[in-house]
Amino acid sequence: MIELSDIRKVFNSGKPNEFVAIDGITLSVERDKVLVLKGPSGSGKTTLLSVIGCMARPTSGRITLSGKEITSLPERFLTEIRRKSFGFVFQQFNLIKGITAMENVILPAYPTGEGFSVLKKRALSLLELFDLSERAFSKVEWLSGGEAQRVSIARALVNDPSVIIADEPTAHLDTKLSKDFMEIIGKLKVRRKTIIIASHDPIVYESAAVDRVLEMRDGRILSRATRQ
Amino acid sequence: MFARKSNVFLLFMAVNIFLLALVFGHASYGEKNALPYLRGKAQMVKRIGLSDLCLFTDARYARHPSMADLSTPFQDHPMSLEHFPSGTIITPPPHLRSK
Amino acid sequence: MSRFNKQRNILDFTLSSLLRRRTKNSALVIVYTLIVFSLASVLFFTQAIKKEACIVLQNSPEIIVQRIVAGRHDLLPADYIDTIRAIRGVQSAKGRLWGYYFEPAAGANYTLMVSEEPGVEVGRIVIGQGVSRTIHANRADIVPFRRYDGSYTSFEVSDILSSESELVSSDLVLISESDFREMMGIRGEYVTDAAVYAKNKRELFMIADKIKRILPDTRPITKDEILRTYEAIFDWRGGILLVILSGAVIAFVILAWDKASGLSSDERREIGILKGIGWETSDVIAMKFWEGAVISLSSFSLGIILAYIHVFFASSALFEPALKGWSVLYPEFRLVPHMDPLQIATLFFLTVVPYTVSTIVPSWRAATIDPDTVMRL
Ligand SMILES: Nc1ncnc2c1ncn2[C@@H]1O[C@H](COP(=O)(O)OP(=O)(O)O)[C@@H](O)[C@H]1O
Ligand SMILES: [Mg+2]
């Protein structure tokens, strides 16, 4: 589904504080599978996720998505691909405060120009899927941590992307909620989503839903791949 | 269920634009309608031989700005304080200043 | 269609976003509306008066000749009029007899004017609405006047001038010539000034010039000068109202600048999130555009509509204290509505455009941040 070949990401290139965050990663992400990137903080997980998710361009290397080369696409197309193909779940949830859960869910779909009633229906059914029907019209700051995360997952799904990217999704959740999250991931897998998670939380990488775990260190993937 | 916010705003703007159009319509209608009155007034101005509008009655130069004294500039100065508001709203007539 | 939908969607978010700081943004809209309202009121009022003055005073005497003695205007000897009449190109020259009368009881100033209007006879006067209001005089009432020598006389009110004409006639007392002379102690060989009409309007300036040469102690005032006076008087740059207003405008500019340009860290964060979840730079800018447009368009249209109602339906009630000033006798008039599209456009470009631009510009940089920042928020 997604092929990375020899990806490098260098920050502050050419300056004294030059930093190689990703150092030549070649990786193939399989369709409809759950991939976990684990590794210590600073190992380059977040950077790799943003490169895969078309949020940042690699310094060098090639990425293909469903066989299409996307590394050299201009910004506008890249945004469109990102919007259509990727849904993001952030560590801090990154919901927009002061507006309702429903509006937060719709937000990524606004620029698509779809009709509001269609979007609203879709958002409400997603919220229902995550047992949030009653909270649909509450402001997000009134939601609990678990609810906020489920809203952010619903938001990631609103454009019906094929890939879900989650960066440290359980960092702010207790054990129970973390397990709930992995359950949701299992459900999404059934719904034929490709899922890439960066996490060093055992609850995540030891979960039964996970198909493959790769360990990262210093911007590289350790050759010893766990559970494959 | 909920009125969509953008619809509420667009409706509000539509009402505003409608009112603005109404304002323009009212103005041009009123202007046309007022012509006979204005002519009547102009007729009166001619018959009686009036030279000014009656806006301020507090001082000579305010009542008849066009007749103001030529050689007493300070009475017409905007800072003349004895007739504060009108004295600041109206300026000396230009033919007093230019000559 | 989808493009329209998209803008509408973005507008939806903008409105939700604005509603979050409900009090702050309502305050902003109220202040903004007030500013537009005041500016537009001044503009409408002055333009309407200017317009009316132009039409009504078009018929004022073409040249008014005053006599100047020791730098002040003085009574004009009646034989000057014969001299003027003899100048080539003069169609008619007539002495005007008029003056001011201070009514001590009411503290009001009238303009006394000799006229041959119907109703004006010896012992009978016609008064303007303002005079009638100030001293509660109606038809058939007897009104006392003080003579130049301190004795009293009185006249019967035979008629009251129409209220439509108040803008020119409010303070008039039309009186017969003999009553005027008797009351003011002006002898028959003098008049106040002379109203001159020319045969050919294009010769006005030349005639005025000739009068000045033949009668060096006179000052001819042409109609052009009268009209120009009114243009200048109501040029809306002058005036305390605008001085006060400019203070308000400056305060608003500071407020708007602070509000619009000081992109708070929260707003930056939000823009980062939007970029992260798939908004394009142009979508973010469109949102900022709507943010400015929603506030400024609402305020602008509300301000204009309210100002129109204020000036043309409520007789500029809020300006009354400023316009009235020391006057006791104040004309009550309804201005003829007048809307100049160019004026409205000017106002639009002075208010809506700068505000909207100052909302967009500061967000430009924030809108171009890399979407991956969202991962590290
Ligand atoms: N914009 C940046 N400029 C410079 N260095 C960066 C930038 N973003 C990330 N880094 C560095 O790249 C390294 C990898 O970071 P990251 O991908 O966040 O790792 P992880 O998510 O595994 O903790 C870190 O050492 C971080 O300091
Ligand atoms: Mg990280």
Side-chain angles (χ1 to χ4, degrees):
Chain A
M1 158 120 241
I2 306 171
E3 307 287 338
L4 283 74
S5 73
D6 200 21
I7 295 297
R8 276 171 61 84
K9 179 76 182 173
V10 184
F11 290 112
N12 308 317
S13 177
K15 289 187 202 141
N17 58 347
E18 182 176 277
F19 186 86
V20 183
I22 296 184
D23 195 7
I25 287 185
T26 299
L27 168 69
S28 143
V29 181
E30 287 154 90
R31 191 180 291 273
D32 308 339
K33 293 277 158 71
V34 179
L35 166 67
V36 172
L37 301 169
K38 77 171 203 185
S41 172
S43 58
K45 303 184 297 292
T46 301
T47 310
L48 185 60
L49 285 185
S50 53
V51 168
I52 295 174
C54 302
M55 282 187 164
R57 282 175 201 281
T59 310
S60 66
R62 276 161 47 94
I63 304 172
T64 59
L65 175 67
S66 309
K68 241 187 7 220
E69 144 88 4
I70 54 170
T71 341
S72 55
L73 286 177
E75 167 92 33
R76 251 170 50 84
F77 292 98
L78 219 54
T79 309
E80 207 175 315
I81 288 174
R82 176 152 53 90
R83 197 161 54 212
K84 280 195 185 135
S85 314
F86 296 95
F88 297 89
V89 178
F90 306 107
Q91 183 176 352
Q92 314 276 358
F93 313 144
N94 286 342
L95 297 175
I96 295 205
K97 289 201 191 80
I99 63 175
T100 63
M102 198 269 295
E103 281 175 291
N104 262 290
V105 173
I106 298 185
L107 222 40
Y110 275 162
T112 62
E114 276 173 283
F116 185 75
S117 47
V118 178
L119 294 179
K120 189 171 158 187
K121 213 183 282 166
R122 205 190 302 156
L124 289 176
S125 73
L126 280 170
L127 286 168
E128 201 188 329
L129 184 70
F130 297 121
D131 290 327
L132 286 164
S133 293
E134 278 127 66
R135 312 297 268 152
F137 296 100
S138 335
K139 299 210 161 128
V140 289
E141 54 267 43
W142 304 118
L143 301 180
S144 70
E147 285 169 335
Q149 171 148 66
R150 287 187 335 257
V151 170
S152 81
I153 298 169
R155 181 178 67 181
L157 291 171
V158 74
N159 282 334
D160 196 24
S162 46
V163 186
I164 303 290
I165 289 178
D167 190 18
E168 315 265 7
T170 57
H172 294 288
L173 301 180
D174 59 24
T175 311
K176 157 115 191 9
L177 288 173
S178 302
K179 285 187 170 147
D180 289 350
F181 173 79
M182 287 319 291
E183 222 168 274
I184 290 173
I185 292 297
K187 277 193 213 164
L188 294 180
K189 196 169 111 179
V190 175
R191 292 177 147 234
R192 306 179 58 84
K193 302 279 177 204
T194 307
I195 295 156
I196 308 169
I197 307 171
S199 177
H200 50 247
D201 180 355
I203 296 177
V204 173
Y205 60 76
E206 284 167 9
S207 157
V210 174
D211 297 295
R212 188 178 171 203
V213 179
L214 293 176
E215 190 163 353
M216 287 187 68
R217 196 171 282 272
D218 302 327
R220 293 167 198 267
I221 291 176
L222 299 187
S223 51
R224 176 182 54 87
T226 23
R227 206 199 302 184
Q228 191 155 8
Chain B
M1 186 167 67
F2 278 77
R4 191 177 166 189
K5 290 189 184 89
S6 61
N7 286 347
V8 173
F9 176 73
L10 291 176
L11 183 72
F12 168 72
M13 279 321 293
V15 169
N16 272 342
I17 287 169
F18 173 72
L19 286 177
L20 277 177
L22 216 61
V23 158
F24 270 97
H26 180 267
S28 73
Y29 174 78
E31 238 180 313
K32 230 174 269 156
N33 243 19
L35 268 181
Y37 291 113
L38 286 178
R39 283 212 195 95
K41 242 185 271 190
Q43 239 28 67
M44 175 188 228
V45 164
K46 184 163 192 148
R47 275 199 320 273
I48 308 180
L50 300 174
S51 60
D52 288 270
L53 297 184
C54 176
L55 285 168
F56 309 106
T57 61
D58 49 2
R60 258 184 312 161
Y61 65 87
R63 172 63 181 92
H64 289 107
S66 67
M67 303 285 107
D69 279 0
L70 182 62
S71 316
T72 41
F74 286 107
Q75 83 173 12
D76 299 315
H77 193 272
M79 290 301 284
S80 63
L81 289 172
E82 75 274 39
H83 298 289
F84 169 64
S86 43
T88 42
I89 288 165
I90 67 173
T91 55
H95 52 279
L96 289 192
R97 281 177 295 179
S98 59
K99 274 179 198 164
Chain C
M1 197 59 207
S2 100
R3 187 164 282 192
F4 174 72
N5 265 337
K6 173 172 166 172
Q7 292 305 322
R8 226 159 62 135
N9 290 340
I10 293 176
L11 175 60
D12 263 323
F13 173 66
T14 307
L15 290 168
S16 294
S17 169
L18 284 172
L19 282 173
R20 290 182 295 182
R21 287 168 218 104
R22 214 169 297 234
T23 23
K24 195 176 171 184
N25 286 317
S26 325
L28 197 65
V29 169
I30 290 170
V31 174
Y32 199 155
T33 304
L34 270 177
I35 301 255
V36 174
F37 167 79
S38 323
L39 280 174
S41 290
V42 174
L43 206 62
F44 290 167
F45 180 80
T46 53
Q47 287 294 318
I49 285 209
K50 219 156 125 172
K51 186 103 202 277
E52 191 143 345
C54 261
I55 295 175
V56 169
L57 296 179
Q58 212 43 258
N59 274 352
S60 64
E62 284 167 349
I63 303 174
I64 291 172
V65 183
Q66 288 178 342
R67 184 184 181 211
I68 305 291
V69 173
R72 319 210 61 179
H73 61 85
D74 205 55
L75 295 177
L76 185 87
D79 56 9
Y80 274 34
I81 293 173
D82 299 326
T83 314
I84 293 167
R85 208 175 280 136
I87 292 173
R88 233 173 49 148
V90 171
Q91 187 183 47
S92 71
K94 232 177 83 189
R96 294 199 309 169
L97 266 169
W98 62 278
Y100 301 102
Y101 178 84
F102 180 69
E103 159 60 48
N109 278 310
Y110 310 153
T111 299
L112 258 61
M113 200 135 204
V114 169
S115 153
E116 281 153 15
E117 287 288 282
V120 179
E121 309 157 23
V122 175
R124 283 157 70 83
I125 55 175
V126 171
I127 59 176
Q129 290 280 340
V131 178
S132 161
R133 254 196 321 272
T134 310
I135 55 169
H136 310 288
N138 287 309
R139 210 164 282 163
D141 283 353
I142 307 290
V143 182
F145 281 86
R146 196 174 180 274
R147 286 208 191 86
Y148 71 100
D149 60 2
S151 61
Y152 282 86
T153 180
S154 58
F155 304 110
E156 189 193 331
V157 176
S158 69
D159 207 355
I160 295 168
L161 293 165
S162 72
S163 57
E164 285 100 61
S165 68
E166 252 196 78
L167 192 51
V168 287
S169 71
S170 188
D171 73 334
L172 289 187
V173 173
L174 300 180
I175 189 170
S176 69
E177 176 169 352
S178 60
D179 283 342
F180 183 81
R181 288 192 187 279
E182 199 251 350
M183 189 178 144
M184 298 296 195
I186 296 175
R187 283 173 294 141
E189 63 267 32
Y190 286 103
V191 292
T192 310
D193 49 25
V196 180
Y197 287 87
K199 283 183 187 133
N200 185 344
K201 311 293 165 241
R202 269 171 298 179
E203 287 176 6
L204 278 181
F205 187 75
M206 203 201 67
I207 292 171
D209 210 50
K210 212 175 267 177
I211 292 171
K212 186 106 186 81
R213 250 185 296 124
I214 298 174
L215 302 166
D217 61 343
T218 61
R219 170 192 170 211
I221 302 162
T222 64
K223 191 168 70 188
D224 283 352
E225 285 170 333
I226 295 175
L227 290 176
R228 244 191 296 137
T229 300
Y230 277 84
E231 292 272 331
I233 284 174
F234 292 105
D235 255 354
W236 61 297
R237 85 195 128 71
I240 191 82
L241 270 171
L242 283 166
V243 174
I244 295 167
L245 265 182
S246 56
V249 170
I250 289 166
F252 178 71
V253 167
I254 293 168
L255 181 80
W257 184 256
D258 176 57
K259 161 80 184 67
S261 65
L263 216 52
S264 68
S265 61
D266 272 353
E267 282 172 297
R268 269 174 223 285
R269 185 188 151 87
E270 272 172 33
I271 290 176
I273 294 174
L274 292 174
K275 290 285 301 245
I277 60 176
W279 284 41
E280 274 169 46
T281 306
S282 63
D283 299 332
V284 174
I285 289 168
M287 176 193 87
K288 281 291 168 186
F289 163 79
W290 282 115
E291 197 178 306
V294 163
I295 289 195
S296 53
L297 282 178
S298 328
S299 312
F300 178 77
S301 47
L302 280 178
I304 296 279
I305 293 164
L306 290 176
Y308 188 84
I309 293 171
H310 170 225
V311 172
F312 298 115
F313 288 99
S315 307
S316 316
L318 296 178
F319 293 162
E320 208 165 284
L323 293 173
K324 228 174 189 166
W326 272 220
S327 328
V328 170
L329 190 158
Y330 181 69
E332 280 175 11
F333 52 85
R334 254 199 193 179
L335 287 167
V336 173
H338 173 64
M339 286 281 273
D340 181 357
L342 193 72
Q343 245 175 52
I344 304 295
T346 311
L347 215 55
F348 184 86
F349 280 105
L350 287 177
T351 52
V352 173
V353 173
Y355 184 79
T356 307
V357 167
S358 73
T359 323
I360 295 175
V361 169
S363 62
W364 206 281
R365 270 174 66 115
T368 53
I369 59 167
D370 291 327
D372 67 327
T373 344
V374 71
M375 304 289 268
R376 301 176 199 283
L377 282 176

